[in-house]
Amino acid sequence: MGLFNRKKKNEEPQVSEKTSSLLEKLQDVSPIFTDHESDIRFQEEYEAQQRELAANKLREGLKKTRDGIADKVQQLLNSFTKIDEDFFEELEETLILSDIGAETSAEICDKLRAEVKKTGTTEPSDVKKMLKDIISEILSGGNELNLSTKPSVIMVIGVNGAGKTTTIGKMAANFKNAGKKVIVAAADTFRAAAIDQLNVWTERAGVDIIKHSEGADPAAVVFDALSAAKARGADIVLCDTAGRLHNKKNLMEELKKIARVITRECPEASVETLLVLG
Ligand SMILES: Nc1nc2c(ncn2[C@@H]2O[C@H](COP(=O)(O)OP(=O)(O)OP(=O)(O)O)[C@@H](O)[C@H]2O)c(=O)[nH]1
Ligand SMILES: [Mg+2]
């Protein structure tokens, strides 16, 4: 646009027939300005639109952060003038709704209650620091995984739909971001969809996956994942498993078989078993 805007009054642009027919077509789809001022105005409007778009994106980004757990707790603290049982109840609810888990949320609230009682504080703002300390203490409470060997193996187990595959996807991405080389073993061979679901997570995280087809022996998948880990120098092998109840004998035997394969193939490896509770 603006290419043919230097047209002077009463003067036709000197263009060939072919160009003029192209120009006619062009006129249908894009405005051709008749003076330099509209050109500048258009440019200014365009830039203003772009700025508005960028600002909207930023606002959306900030909203996501604002909706985070820290902000929810802050909003809660702001809305209470004193610390009473209503406050603790709402705090517990907020923590649970933020995916902290019911048990941990209750533990945090109990510790906070005790701390508030001990110090005798009644100010919601004082409670913020206490809460921060309690959460940090829980997070650092000896729950670290032993990942000292190369490879280290993490088996993820739990009942159906507890969140095993999702947890593996998130862990894979976190480890990858921390600079670790990760291999994921699709040892839930129960359903083809389970393998596909894990595949999506590993693609998203940008990590390798070892998979067989539906119905294959899960221990064989783990065997291949361990061989690949050794060959590729992976740091961590994450094993997804099919959901199971502990009283299903054959399924528990399957887990034992996987564990035996790990011990046999990687006797030095640190093996962590994570039980995912829904
Ligand atoms: N709110 C919430 N939903 C989750 C979380 N983890 C998983 N989910 C959801 O729970 C459902 C089951 O998650 P999966 O990761 O497929 O569970 P799974 O244990 O692998 O399930 P099976 O392989 O069928 O035994 C999915 O819809 C997930 O999106 C979580 O931490 N919070
Ligand atoms: Mg799963």
Side-chain angles (χ1 to χ4, degrees), residues 83 112-123 126 130:
I83 303 299
L112 188 63
R113 243 188 224 100
E115 195 64 20
V116 164
K117 205 174 164 193
K118 198 173 92 186
T119 56
T121 184
T122 52
E123 271 296 304
D126 292 345
M130 289 179 189

Side-chain angles (χ1 to χ4, degrees), residues 119-168:
T119 56
T121 184
T122 52
E123 271 296 304
S125 55
D126 292 345
V127 172
K128 194 179 174 186
K129 194 185 171 310
M130 289 179 189
L131 193 57
K132 210 174 149 191
D133 291 346
I134 290 168
I135 292 176
S136 318
E137 187 197 308
I138 288 177
L139 288 178
S140 61
N143 285 327
E144 294 94 15
L145 296 169
N146 175 7
L147 302 172
S148 55
T149 62
K150 191 169 173 156
S152 293
V153 184
I154 303 175
M155 261 173 80
V156 180
I157 62 167
V159 298
N160 299 75
K164 297 178 291 297
T165 307
T166 310
T167 303
I168 287 188

Side-chain angles (χ1 to χ4, degrees), residues 164-166 188 191 194 197 240-241 243:
K164 297 178 291 297
T165 307
T166 310
D188 175 359
R191 291 172 295 118
Q197 183 194 0
D240 192 18
T241 63

Side-chain angles (χ1 to χ4, degrees), residues 181-200:
K181 185 164 172 55
V182 179
I183 290 188
V184 173
D188 175 359
T189 59
F190 210 62
R191 291 172 295 118
I195 302 170
D196 295 341
Q197 183 194 0
L198 193 64
N199 206 29
V200 171

